Amino acid sequence: MRTLAITQNITVDGAIEMLGDWFDPQGQGDSQDLVDEIHRQDSAADGFLVGRRTFEDLRAYWPQQTEDPTGITEYLNTVQKYVVSKTLTDAGWQNSTILSGDPVAEIAALKQRAGKDIVVTGSITLCHTLIEAGLVDEYRLFAYPVVQGGGRRLFPDGYAIPELRLVDSLSFRSGITYTCYSAE
């Protein structure tokens, strides 16, 4: 079975919703150790799962980048993308599949197919659905040294996981830290 991993950029106070300018996707090129970790994770994944709003934001930005020191543009243009949407009819981006049925059932079926990791990023509503359905295998968190003071959180209000197992942790020259937790 494939690993379904939620990968999020998060503030020290736990926000994943960006209310300020603490995250710059192009600025990560300044921290080669961070970029190397992102590439390591990208090489272990062949599925990229997002909700419609995140997909539309990514589609409007990344394919147009020609000077991308991070390599994220190339990855997003080539990886198989899965978009959860009841309203989108044309993905308009190569290697994209629209999942318009029950997201829990469709994603559970994706996990059963042969392949590498499936990574979810952004897509707070979709993440909440996947967490509540028990489909998430790993939480990969890049914590930025910022206190935002508000914004939506990774876990739905009132949701508890009694214990997560630490799988990996790293710190980068930029002050960003990475932790990976297993839900199993």
Side-chain angles (χ1 to χ4, degrees):
M1 180 182 330
R2 297 165 81 178
T3 294
L4 179 65
I6 290 180
T7 300
Q8 294 288 4
N9 298 304
I10 189 166
T11 62
V12 171
D13 60 336
I16 60 173
E17 180 181 22
M18 287 187 355
L19 300 178
D21 60 357
W22 55 269
F23 174 74
D24 175 10
Q26 289 293 329
Q28 295 183 55
D30 297 338
S31 181
Q32 190 58 47
D33 54 346
L34 175 60
V35 171
D36 290 345
E37 176 59 21
I38 292 168
H39 288 298
R40 185 190 69 75
Q41 290 185 29
D42 289 349
S43 69
D46 64 0
F48 185 77
L49 175 65
V50 288
R52 179 193 53 80
R53 283 178 283 185
T54 299
F55 177 79
E56 289 176 339
D57 289 345
L58 294 171
R59 182 184 64 190
Y61 179 80
W62 285 107
Q64 286 70 43
Q65 302 309 303
T66 56
E67 300 293 325
D68 175 17
T70 66
I72 295 171
T73 300
E74 180 181 351
Y75 173 74
L76 288 176
N77 282 335
T78 58
V79 71
Q80 178 61 52
K81 292 167 284 297
Y82 299 97
V83 187
V84 174
S85 176
K86 299 274 189 209
T87 59
L88 195 63
T89 56
D90 179 15
W93 196 0
Q94 71 235 26
N95 304 317
S96 297
T97 301
I98 299 169
L99 304 176
S100 59
D102 172 41
V104 171
E106 291 208 47
I107 295 163
L110 270 179
K111 286 182 65 172
Q112 296 302 317
R113 293 185 194 165
K116 297 180 179 181
D117 295 353
I118 303 167
V119 175
V120 186
T121 195
S123 312
I124 299 169
T125 302
L126 175 58
C127 286
H128 287 181
T129 298
L130 298 172
I131 290 166
E132 290 174 328
L135 290 176
V136 180
D137 301 301
E138 289 184 358
Y139 298 93
R140 300 173 182 172
L141 308 176
F142 289 88
Y144 283 68
V146 172
V147 175
Q148 183 169 266
R152 291 176 23 182
R153 307 287 191 240
L154 175 57
F155 294 96
D157 285 343
Y159 189 83
I161 300 175
E163 185 175 349
L164 296 171
R165 183 177 56 82
L166 180 65
V167 174
D168 195 8
S169 66
L170 300 166
S171 61
F172 304 101
R173 289 186 300 275
S174 61
I176 297 166
T177 60
Y178 165 72
T179 50
C180 176
Y181 295 99
S182 172
E184 300 174 347

